[in-house]
Amino acid sequence: MKAINHIKLEFPSIAGNVRLARVTVAAFASELDYDVSVLEEIKVAVSEAVTNAIVHGYQKDPQGIVTLTASLYDSNLEIVVEDRGKGIDNLDQALEPGEGTDPERMGLGFVFMRTFMDELEVTSEPDLGTKVIMRKKLPSEVKAKWFNEN
Amino acid sequence: MNLEIKKMGDTLLVKIFGDFDLELADHCRREIDRNYEKEAVKNILFDLTGISFIDSSGLGVILGRYRKVKENEGNVVIASGDSRIIKLLNLSGITRLIPVYPNTAQALKYLAGKVM
């Protein structure tokens, strides 16, 4: 299915870009009439996916490139965060609450992504990278607006 | 400047400003640990009233410090009145370990009560 609108962002794996990523997606999503509280939750989900790419995918190596796309489809906003880093060895275990290789982050990243988005898909290959796809249903009133204009 | 650290009696007052995410987390972790040892205090009060965003990186700093303080038989308390921040504190399970008060005055009162 073709996206009605989309943005694509590529940036090096540095901590300061976590903020850039979530603020950019929030700006894109704010066109879609989500409640402010929902926008805040989308920001957290993006932050978690990008932080995972930087911290786990690339082990904070600034040579690594994170790719982020946000796409508007007819019934949802889809956000994809991709790295070509070291991948997740045991994906099922990583997706369990309380897991995660950094004990201080408590494996909370995936918990927040799953809690705040309607759908979460994660694919990962050791040494090839990780791809996180998150979807959020559109507020019902936004559909008419975008379909009339496009 | 996104971090202010002060000693007050037996407590380290840690005030964080802005977005408490990965970028700030490493700096905060280092500075809080350094000051906690240098000042030889027992407790930490995290003043989150100046932050506009928190994610698992920031929450991880708080939880990691909680573990250290508990090893030292101290107490940790959080000041935050922002419902968005409190929601994340709840979801992370931190509120089951660390009490949250709407402002620093009440948080300090809680710590004072713990001493008596």
Side-chain angles (χ1 to χ4, degrees), chain A residues 105-116:
Chain A
R105 283 186 66 227
M106 309 170 278
L108 258 183
F110 285 122
V111 172
F112 286 165
M113 286 183 242
R114 188 176 284 132
T115 305
F116 294 146

Side-chain angles (χ1 to χ4, degrees), chain A residues 15-16 18-19 22 40-41 43-44 47-48 51 54-55 60 102-106 108-109 112 115-116, chain B residues 19 21-23 26 29 52-57 59-61 63-65 67 84 87-88 91-92 94:
Chain A
V18 177
R19 181 171 191 280
R22 70 169 170 269
E40 286 299 318
E41 294 177 351
K43 274 163 75 175
V44 174
S47 215
E48 299 301 347
T51 299
I54 293 172
V55 174
K60 298 187 181 172
D102 177 353
E104 289 203 352
R105 283 186 66 227
M106 309 170 278
L108 258 183
F112 286 165
T115 305
F116 294 146
Chain B
D19 288 7
D21 67 359
L22 182 64
E23 192 179 20
D26 288 343
R29 184 181 298 118
S52 45
F53 179 88
I54 192 165
D55 63 14
S56 67
S57 300
L59 295 165
V61 171
L63 191 78
R65 306 295 72 64
R67 290 184 182 135
R84 296 167 308 163
K87 184 177 183 180
L88 290 162
L91 271 171
S92 71
I94 279 181

Side-chain angles (χ1 to χ4, degrees), chain A residues 87-149:
Chain A
I88 301 168
D89 279 336
N90 189 335
L91 188 59
D92 290 340
Q93 196 185 19
L95 289 168
E96 284 287 311
E99 290 301 324
T101 51
D102 177 353
E104 289 203 352
R105 283 186 66 227
M106 309 170 278
L108 258 183
F110 285 122
V111 172
F112 286 165
M113 286 183 242
R114 188 176 284 132
T115 305
F116 294 146
M117 302 297 284
D118 294 314
E119 287 176 42
L120 171 69
E121 287 171 26
V122 186
T123 49
S124 190
E125 287 279 338
D127 297 322
L128 288 177
T130 300
K131 183 177 186 177
V132 173
I133 303 174
M134 303 182 282
R135 296 188 192 89
K136 189 81 183 171
K137 285 192 204 90
L138 296 180
S140 50
E141 61 272 26
V142 79
K143 292 184 193 170
K145 175 183 150 190
W146 279 89
F147 285 113
N148 289 339
E149 284 179 10

Side-chain angles (χ1 to χ4, degrees), chain B residues 2 7 11 14-16 20 31 33-34 36 44 46 48 60 63-64 67 73 79 96 103 105-108 111:
Chain B
N2 294 93
K7 181 187 174 174
T11 301
V14 176
K15 180 155 191 178
I16 298 153
F20 196 9
E31 286 303 303
D33 286 353
R34 195 173 64 80
Y36 187 75
I44 296 181
F46 283 98
L48 304 183
L63 191 78
R67 290 184 182 135
E73 294 175 346
R96 289 199 296 270
N103 55 53
Q106 287 183 38
L108 282 169
L111 288 175

